[in-house]
């Protein structure tokens, strides 16, 4: 679970020192009780909805001791689920980075017919319930689906197999990178690219030296969100996976199975790994961002 | 290198940006493309640069006699400076200037020592060598503009194209920078076209002014030519203040020597400083007018008069000593004589 983090470009301070609170004009300062009340409310909310669940996850994971925790995540089915999740992420995230950049580039920098349609389509996965997304793939690729007989005849397995899981995850996580980049690229306009072109840069050079460095923070943030969602996706994957232990179970599905078998400590042990991965990505993001503001 | 454009046409959807435009810029000149917004001047500049292309089959762009219409921007050897600078925001000033050399193919690329030397020399040329390590966001508008210029010059362009180079600067900096650009141009002798909507700017620094309106070129000439002999009412009005008066009322007011002939129901154009005022009781020829307002702050006095006969308002500009000699007050009567007037055929309606 990735907690709500403001976009990176919003958190970067402008050049020059930030004004200390005492330098702010009086009119923008609230009375002490209001400041404390608002801050307190925000912190209480965060503690209750974000920190507490996180603590519960780890407390439950270790409720039967460290040995049980290790055994739960070393068990072959758990390892298979971890491997499958990482494999899915390793395919889906790079693919969505490429698709996302391409779509954002096309939408933000060019005029073409059908542009608004494309913009709407990118949002489709947000609008559709993940379960429906999964179901769509079953209807297309499943044994009773449109392409089912042909796929069976050629011995290609998509539904209840890894390709289906990858497809469903890719569909659900498609908007993250593109959505993050489109407003950023639109705001930056095309003048810098045109400059590069008049200076003799070719398309690749323009992209690698001008466009990509300008969007790197938005891209990084999009990748993190995409990654978190790809690891945690449940609904769509659940429909296409078939829940075959050790074969088509991703980590969230494995957690569900363990939980349904009343193996609470085991379920939370695997869940704690997902939580750890999420925390790790956020820490990496903060560190890179912090270094960037220091060098700029 | 000379630049020629022949019958360029460009449409964006249903909007016509350029409708058969011709342009001829001789080698080494500083030429202004002047016109109101929407007149097509920036589109023409971008077509010359190769950032836009004319509509299929419509026209050609020639550099030094060679057809470059189908060449992409990167191969035309143009230096282009954008209105909002378009500096690479993630690169230092030095890296911005070096960019054009760094992206060259390996066999054409200078050594990094040579690139560094050239970048520093260019930054010296635009008087910014001390700021090589800064980022664009740490510079003032005028400094950014000069970095953009240095960056454009790094690739040794054959022509320099500037899109509203001073448009985003405040008035003071703008004046300094445009004089600097004129001196700079005299130094480097590079064929230069700049786009502007500011007639004062164009008339002050350009060798030649190309006045555009509604996708057409209205007039081409030296600043003095276009100012003294405007080819159309549009040019006349665009290049300075002007009074438009109905012709018949002026029959007795015009000196025999001054101005062109008005068609019977045409209009007469006269600049505020081409009107002479004489005391009313002195008699003689001239139109009677009532002084409505006197604005005397500034180097010249501006008066708003109301012509007695037609009730038309007329703006007049005279020196402050003349004003003192006339000792005018609001609501006084004066006579005005038009020293120089213009009239145009009616077909030229604006």
């Amino acid at each position: 679970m990735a907690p709500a983090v403001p976009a990176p470009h919003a958190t970067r301070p402008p050049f020059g020192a930030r004004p200390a609170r005492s330098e702010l004009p009086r009119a923008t300062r609230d009375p002490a009780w209001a400041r404390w009340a608002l801050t307190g409310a925000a912190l209480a909310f965060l503690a209750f909805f974000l920190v507490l669940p996180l603590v519960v996850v780890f407390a439950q994971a270790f409720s039967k001791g460290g040995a049980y925790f290790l055994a739960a995540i070393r068990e072959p089915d758990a390892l298979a689920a971890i491997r499958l999740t990482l494999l899915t992420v390793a395919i889906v995230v790079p693919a969505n980075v490429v698709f996302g950049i391409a779509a954002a580039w096309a939408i933000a920098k060019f005029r073409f017919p059908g542009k608004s349609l494309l913009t709407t389509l990118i949002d489709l996965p947000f609008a559709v319930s993940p379960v429906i997304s999964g179901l769509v793939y079953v209807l297309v690729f499943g044994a009773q689906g449109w392409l089912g007989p042909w796929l069976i005849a050629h011995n290609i397995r998509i539904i209840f197999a890894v390709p289906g899981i990858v497809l469903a995850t890719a569909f659900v996580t498609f908007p993250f990178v593109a959505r993050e980049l489109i407003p950023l690229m639109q705001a930056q306009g095309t003048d810098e690219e045109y400059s590069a072109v008049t200076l003799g840069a070719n398309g690749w050079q323009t992209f690698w030296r001008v466009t990509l460095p300008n969007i790197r923070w938005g891209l990084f943030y999009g990748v993190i969100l995409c990654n978190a969602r790809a690891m945690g996706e449940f609904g769509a994957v659940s429909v296409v996976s078939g829940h075959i232990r050790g074969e088509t179970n991703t980590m969230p599905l494995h957690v569900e199975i363990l939980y349904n078998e009343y193996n609470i400590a085991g379920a939370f042990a695997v869940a704690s790994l997902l939580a750890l991965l999420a925390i790790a990505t956020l820490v990496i993001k903060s560190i890179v961002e912090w270094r960037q503001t220091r060098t700029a | 290198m000379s630049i020629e454009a022949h019958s360029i046409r460009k449409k964006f959807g249903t909007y016509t940006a350029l409708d058969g435009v011709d342009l001829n810029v001789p080698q080494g000149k500083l030429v202004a493309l002047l016109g109101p917004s929407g007149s097509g001047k920036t589109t023409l500049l971008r077509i010359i640069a190769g950032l836009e292309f004319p509509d299929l089959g419509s026209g050609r762009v020639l550099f030094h006699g060679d057809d470059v219409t189908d060449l992409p921007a990167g191969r035309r050897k143009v230096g282009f400076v954008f209105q909002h600078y378009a500096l690479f925001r993630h690169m230092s000033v030095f890296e911005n200037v070096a960019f054009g050399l760094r992206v060259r193919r390996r066999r054409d690329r200078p050594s990094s020592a040579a690139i560094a030397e050239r970048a520093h020399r260019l930054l010296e040329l635009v008087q910014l060598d001390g700021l090589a390590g800064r980022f664009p966001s740490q510079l003032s508008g005028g400094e950014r503009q000069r970095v953009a210029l240095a960056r454009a010059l790094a690739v040794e362009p054959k022509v320099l194209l500037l899109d509203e180079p001073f448009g985003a600067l405040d008035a003071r900096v703008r004046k300094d920078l445009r004089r600097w650009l004129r001196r700079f141009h005299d130094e480097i002798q590079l064929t230069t076209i700049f786009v502007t909507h500011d007639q004062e700017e164009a008339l002050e620094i350009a060798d030649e002014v190309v006045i555009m309106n509604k996708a057409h070129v209205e007039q081409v000439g030296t600043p003095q030519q276009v100012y003294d002999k405007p080819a159309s009412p549009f040019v006349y009005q665009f290049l300075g203040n002007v009074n438009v008066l109905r012709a018949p009322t002026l029959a007795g007011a015009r000196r025999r020597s001054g101005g062109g002939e008005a068609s019977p129901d045409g209009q007469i154009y006269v600049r505020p400083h081409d009107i002479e005022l004489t005391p009313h009781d002195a008699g003689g020829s001239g139109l009677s007018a009532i002084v409505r307002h006197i604005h005397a702050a500034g180097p010249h006095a501006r008066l708003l008069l109301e012509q007695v006969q037609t009730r038309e308002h007329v703006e007049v500009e005279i020196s402050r000593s003349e004003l003192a000699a006339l000792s005018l007050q609001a609501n006084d009567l004066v006579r005005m004589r038009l020293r120089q007037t213009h009239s145009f055929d009616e077909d030229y309606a604006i």
Side-chain angles (χ1 to χ4, degrees):
Chain A
M1 275 281 289
V5 180
H9 37 272
T11 60
R12 262 193 291 170
F15 284 100
R18 267 179 287 190
R21 195 197 288 151
S22 58
E23 289 170 20
L24 288 175
R26 242 189 102 101
T28 65
R29 266 188 289 160
D30 291 314
W33 65 265
R35 288 206 304 270
W36 285 107
L38 285 170
T39 316
L43 286 178
F45 183 86
L46 276 178
F48 194 72
F49 284 95
L50 293 173
V51 180
L52 190 64
L54 209 57
V55 171
V56 168
V57 168
F58 285 99
Q60 288 284 351
F62 286 98
S63 59
K64 293 194 181 171
Y68 191 88
F69 176 87
L70 280 179
I73 60 174
R74 273 208 201 128
E75 181 227 347
D77 286 353
L79 284 178
I82 293 169
R83 264 200 302 275
L84 180 58
T85 293
L86 292 180
L87 173 71
T88 307
V89 164
I91 297 169
V92 165
V93 173
N96 275 344
V97 165
V98 173
F99 290 146
I101 291 175
W105 169 281
I107 286 171
K109 313 253 171 182
F110 297 98
R111 300 170 289 219
F112 57 91
K115 182 165 150 173
S116 55
L117 184 70
L118 181 60
T119 315
T120 313
L121 280 179
I122 287 174
D123 279 341
L124 191 66
F126 276 164
V128 174
S129 157
V131 177
I132 307 295
S133 326
L135 210 54
V136 168
Y137 284 104
V138 173
L139 292 176
V140 174
F141 299 113
Q144 269 77 48
W146 289 351
L147 300 176
W150 187 88
L151 290 170
I152 290 168
H154 290 79
N155 207 16
I156 301 171
R157 292 189 56 98
I158 290 182
I159 300 304
F160 304 148
V162 176
I165 292 168
V166 170
L167 278 177
T169 309
F171 178 81
V172 170
T173 58
F174 179 72
F176 286 100
V177 173
R179 267 284 136 212
E180 195 59 40
L181 292 184
I182 289 168
L184 188 61
M185 286 170 114
Q186 275 173 337
Q188 288 175 349
T190 50
D191 275 2
E192 286 185 47
E193 277 84 6
Y194 276 130
S195 282
V197 166
T198 62
L199 292 169
N202 61 34
W204 271 119
Q205 288 172 321
T206 304
F207 177 73
W208 286 107
R209 290 168 179 257
V210 176
T211 307
L212 195 60
N214 276 340
I215 59 168
R216 62 186 186 274
W217 290 108
L219 181 62
F220 190 63
Y221 190 63
V223 166
I224 281 173
L225 289 183
C226 182
N227 181 61
R229 183 64 193 269
M231 287 193 300
E233 175 53 29
F234 180 82
V237 171
S238 175
V239 175
V240 298
S241 133
H243 302 265
I244 306 166
R245 279 199 172 200
E247 271 182 48
T248 61
N249 265 351
T250 60
M251 287 168 78
L253 300 185
H254 189 66
V255 171
E256 189 209 16
I257 288 180
L258 293 176
Y259 189 81
N260 287 345
E261 290 170 349
Y262 301 104
N263 185 354
I264 308 295
F268 276 105
V270 179
S272 72
L273 286 185
L274 277 174
L276 268 183
L277 283 168
I279 293 170
T281 48
L282 288 179
V283 169
I284 294 168
K285 169 181 172 287
S286 309
I287 290 173
V288 179
E289 215 169 70
W290 173 75
R291 291 185 57 161
Q292 186 61 25
T293 45
R294 262 197 352 159
T295 52
Chain B
M1 197 157 65
S2 65
I3 304 169
E4 283 170 69
H6 295 302
S7 51
I8 303 286
R9 241 174 271 280
K10 179 73 181 176
K11 278 188 163 196
F12 294 109
T14 56
Y15 173 74
T16 305
L18 294 171
D19 192 8
V21 167
D22 292 292
L23 183 74
N24 192 351
V25 178
Q27 153 82 35
K29 292 279 193 240
L30 178 59
V31 171
L33 289 183
L34 174 65
S37 54
S39 59
K41 53 196 193 307
T42 293
T43 306
L44 181 58
L45 192 79
R46 290 172 76 94
I47 285 176
I48 293 169
L51 295 174
E52 303 274 1
F53 291 89
D55 286 344
L56 276 183
S58 80
R60 315 306 300 168
V61 178
L62 308 179
F63 283 1
H64 205 66
D66 298 329
D67 193 329
V68 297
T69 317
D70 302 317
L71 274 189
R75 292 177 50 202
R76 290 194 187 186
K77 293 207 153 272
V78 295
F80 198 99
V81 175
F82 291 81
Q83 181 179 3
H84 299 288
Y85 325 121
L87 295 177
F88 306 128
R89 66 196 91 183
H90 62 285
M91 293 184 202
S92 67
V93 165
F94 174 83
E95 283 302 324
N96 263 282
V97 177
F99 182 88
L101 299 171
R102 290 207 200 285
V103 296
R104 283 194 184 168
R105 277 170 303 180
R106 191 175 294 274
R107 60 186 157 86
D108 302 330
R109 197 188 308 152
S111 68
S112 36
I115 290 176
E117 201 238 296
R118 184 161 172 73
H120 282 298
R121 207 148 41 81
L122 282 164
L123 285 172
E124 251 167 53
L125 189 66
V126 297
Q127 300 155 13
L128 285 175
D129 203 28
L131 304 181
R134 299 265 190 98
F135 281 85
S137 55
Q138 298 166 303
L139 302 180
S140 73
E143 287 165 345
R144 285 182 212 183
Q145 189 61 276
R146 271 141 62 203
V147 174
L149 197 57
R151 180 178 69 175
L153 291 171
V155 295
E156 296 175 307
K158 298 284 185 281
V159 298
L160 195 54
L161 306 174
L162 313 169
D163 185 8
E164 297 268 3
F166 316 115
L169 302 169
D170 57 58
R172 187 63 170 267
V173 180
R174 196 139 97 191
K175 256 188 172 147
D176 287 349
L177 205 56
R178 75 185 186 217
R179 280 174 197 152
W180 177 84
L181 178 70
R182 179 68 235 190
R183 286 199 307 275
F184 187 76
H185 176 265
D186 293 340
E187 237 171 79
I188 61 171
Q189 298 284 323
L190 201 58
T191 310
T192 303
I193 304 179
F194 75 100
V195 159
T196 180
H197 61 265
D198 181 342
Q199 34 91 14
E200 198 188 316
E201 196 169 287
L203 296 180
E204 185 179 321
I205 65 171
D207 294 318
E208 203 164 85
V209 181
V210 176
I211 297 161
M212 295 188 67
N213 182 34
K214 293 183 179 162
H216 292 278
V217 171
E218 291 268 341
Q219 190 175 5
V220 181
T222 64
Q224 200 183 345
Q225 279 167 353
V226 295
Y227 190 80
D228 289 345
K229 294 197 168 50
S232 67
F234 170 79
V235 175
Y236 207 102
Q237 299 207 311
F238 193 68
L239 289 183
N241 287 338
V242 65
N243 293 296
V244 184
L245 304 175
R246 270 173 283 159
T249 63
L250 300 173
R254 221 174 330 140
R255 281 182 178 179
R256 233 162 263 160
S257 59
E261 284 300 307
S263 47
D265 49 356
Q267 287 174 316
I268 289 286
Y269 293 78
V270 59
R271 298 227 184 265
H273 57 78
D274 282 332
I275 298 176
E276 193 182 328
L277 297 185
T278 51
H280 195 264
D281 39 11
S285 64
L287 291 163
S288 301
I290 303 165
V291 176
R292 284 302 179 205
H293 185 74
I294 301 175
H295 176 79
H300 301 286
R302 290 211 310 275
L303 287 78
L304 187 67
L305 307 185
E306 186 184 317
Q307 205 190 316
V308 173
Q309 216 178 335
T310 61
R311 315 212 62 129
E312 283 176 309
H313 282 114
V314 183
E315 200 186 322
V316 179
E317 197 177 289
I318 57 176
S319 73
R320 296 184 64 166
S321 54
E322 280 176 272
L323 179 70
L326 286 167
S327 68
L328 286 175
Q329 303 287 323
N331 298 325
D332 283 354
L333 266 176
V334 282
R335 277 184 202 285
M336 40 178 215
R337 294 208 297 195
L338 315 183
R339 272 187 228 120
Q340 185 164 16
T341 62
H342 266 82
S343 57
F344 301 93
D345 288 341
E346 265 192 285
D347 321 353
Y348 261 128
I350 310 169

